[in-house]
Amino acid sequence: MAFRELSIGIVLLSQIVLGILGNFSLLYYYLFLYFTGHRLKLTDLIISHLMVANSLTLLSRGIPQTMEAFGLKFFLSDIGCKLVFYLHRVGRGVSISSTCLLSVFQAIKISPRNSRWAELKVKAPKYIGFCIFLCWVLQMLLNITSPIYVTGKWDNRNATMRKDLGFCSAEQTDIITVSLYAVLLLFPDISSLGVMIWASSFMVFILYRHRQKVQHIHKTNIFPRSFPESRATQRILILVNIFVSFYFISAIIQVCISHSHKPSWLLVKISAPISVCFPTFYPFVFMSHCFSVSRVFVRIRNTKPPDFARNT
């Protein structure tokens, strides 16, 4: 076994163990609260589904790629490859959709009471369950054609007409078909990212205006770092930047692989560690940052709306 294959296998195995530990710990926490009679918040429901989607992504992509890196080359049949590839696409799509839904719901939740969001603020909680269900259904339907060209590597017939994807292979198709397929799959993801960035920017704006209001009330000059709102703003930006960065790097690699008749070894091998980075590290970033952000949001909701909100 080559040293570089072993290195990638160790990295992937470490990511899987760490990711499963983080996602299952957070999921267990919410299940424990639910079965012990605690009333869960609606954001908890979104986060629970996000953890399930992250776990699905880790298991469907990380485990087969790790087995392949450790020397098991022909362990999946055509059906197995199609199923694993489909589950990965669905899990990844639901992860993006759930993160977008979480950002939008938080933006609505902290919006000023007298703003134009007031009516939506009352209605939004009623549709959270339906939106989560819709995320799963849409991703299952959108990705139903994704495994069509994926095959197992155990069948070596027409090997020159196949593209190596690591533990599986894919049939070569013309550039027009590949481009249309890429647009079909990338459009929902890019739309979700755009909405997520907008919602996060709105939350940062609310926190900034709230900090100005606090400064005006106390009539004192305090460095921005001393404000909880400033720290919460930084945490929101950290979460969004991590998500967007990992997604775009992964998307660029996947586009390069899709449009290459013979993708390089490096692209094929690093695609898996990059694609599972977000589901691996997100639970830990979330647990370390979002609970503090939530406390700041509670303070904002319990204070009098700032003057700018009364005319919006």
Side-chain angles (χ1 to χ4, degrees):
M1 184 187 303
F3 175 75
R4 57 183 185 178
E5 294 275 359
L6 181 61
S7 300
I8 290 179
I10 293 175
V11 170
L12 278 169
L13 184 61
S14 302
Q15 286 181 300
I16 292 172
V17 173
L18 190 64
I20 293 299
L21 178 64
N23 285 281
F24 274 65
S25 297
L26 201 55
L27 187 60
Y28 172 78
Y29 168 74
Y30 289 120
L31 289 175
F32 176 79
L33 291 179
Y34 175 77
F35 286 111
T36 52
H38 292 79
R39 184 177 180 181
L40 297 180
K41 297 180 294 184
L42 292 173
T43 51
D44 297 337
L45 180 61
I46 302 175
I47 296 168
S48 299
H49 282 266
L50 176 58
M51 296 303 106
V52 172
N54 285 344
S55 301
L56 183 62
T57 304
L58 280 167
L59 295 175
S60 60
R61 183 64 187 273
I63 290 181
Q65 198 76 49
T66 303
M67 294 173 65
E68 191 269 341
F70 281 118
L72 297 176
K73 302 294 183 181
F74 307 100
F75 59 94
L76 283 177
S77 63
D78 286 353
I79 297 178
C81 279
K82 294 179 187 298
L83 180 61
V84 166
F85 195 80
Y86 177 70
L87 292 177
H88 168 68
R89 291 294 313 177
V90 171
R92 182 174 179 272
V94 174
S95 178
I96 296 173
S97 302
S98 299
T99 307
C100 175
L101 181 62
L102 180 62
S103 300
V104 172
F105 184 72
Q106 286 179 328
I108 296 174
K109 193 175 180 181
I110 71 166
S111 61
R113 297 176 182 176
N114 294 343
S115 68
R116 67 186 65 180
W117 294 81
E119 185 177 354
L120 185 59
K121 195 171 184 178
V122 176
K123 294 182 178 180
K126 302 177 183 178
Y127 299 101
I128 291 297
F130 174 76
C131 290
I132 295 174
F133 173 77
L134 194 61
C135 287
W136 283 97
V137 172
L138 286 179
Q139 291 300 327
M140 292 173 68
L141 294 176
L142 286 172
N143 293 286
I144 200 168
T145 60
S146 59
I148 291 179
Y149 300 105
V150 179
T151 60
K153 297 179 68 174
W154 59 273
D155 187 357
N156 290 322
R157 291 176 299 176
N158 297 326
T160 57
M161 299 299 295
R162 294 184 181 182
K163 185 185 303 182
D164 186 12
L165 299 179
F167 57 91
C168 293
S169 59
E171 297 179 6
Q172 297 282 6
T173 56
D174 59 276
I175 190 66
I176 297 178
T177 302
V178 172
S179 300
L180 291 176
Y181 175 70
V183 170
L184 176 64
L185 293 182
L186 290 177
F187 178 75
D189 294 348
I190 293 176
S191 300
S192 297
L193 285 175
V195 174
M196 187 191 314
I197 293 173
W198 169 83
S200 300
S201 301
F202 177 76
M203 285 188 283
V204 170
F205 175 72
I206 293 295
L207 290 170
Y208 172 74
R209 294 304 298 264
H210 181 71
R211 192 189 70 179
Q212 284 189 327
K213 175 177 178 289
V214 173
Q215 271 185 325
H216 178 70
I217 290 175
H218 294 285
K219 295 181 179 180
T220 181
N221 293 322
I222 304 177
F223 291 105
R225 282 188 176 181
S226 64
F227 284 97
E229 292 79 10
S230 298
R231 295 192 295 270
T233 301
Q234 294 173 1
R235 292 176 183 122
I236 291 173
L237 293 176
I238 288 172
L239 288 173
V240 174
N241 287 333
I242 288 175
F243 188 95
V244 173
S245 299
F246 280 141
Y247 173 79
F248 274 110
I249 294 174
S250 177
I252 291 172
I253 293 175
Q254 292 300 324
V255 169
C256 292
I257 293 175
S258 300
H259 285 78
S260 175
H261 291 288
K262 191 176 181 180
S264 67
W265 178 91
L266 182 62
L267 280 179
V268 174
K269 296 303 179 181
I270 68 171
S271 63
I274 293 297
S275 65
V276 299
C277 272
F278 176 76
T280 297
F281 298 112
Y282 182 82
F284 301 100
V285 177
F286 177 84
M287 286 185 284
S288 62
H289 292 297
C290 279
F291 291 129
S292 299
V293 174
S294 297
R295 287 195 293 267
V296 175
F297 287 172
V298 170
R299 290 181 54 196
I300 294 175
R301 292 198 305 270
N302 292 335
T303 57
K304 186 178 179 180
D307 294 335
F308 80 96
R310 297 173 185 174
N311 299 322
T312 58

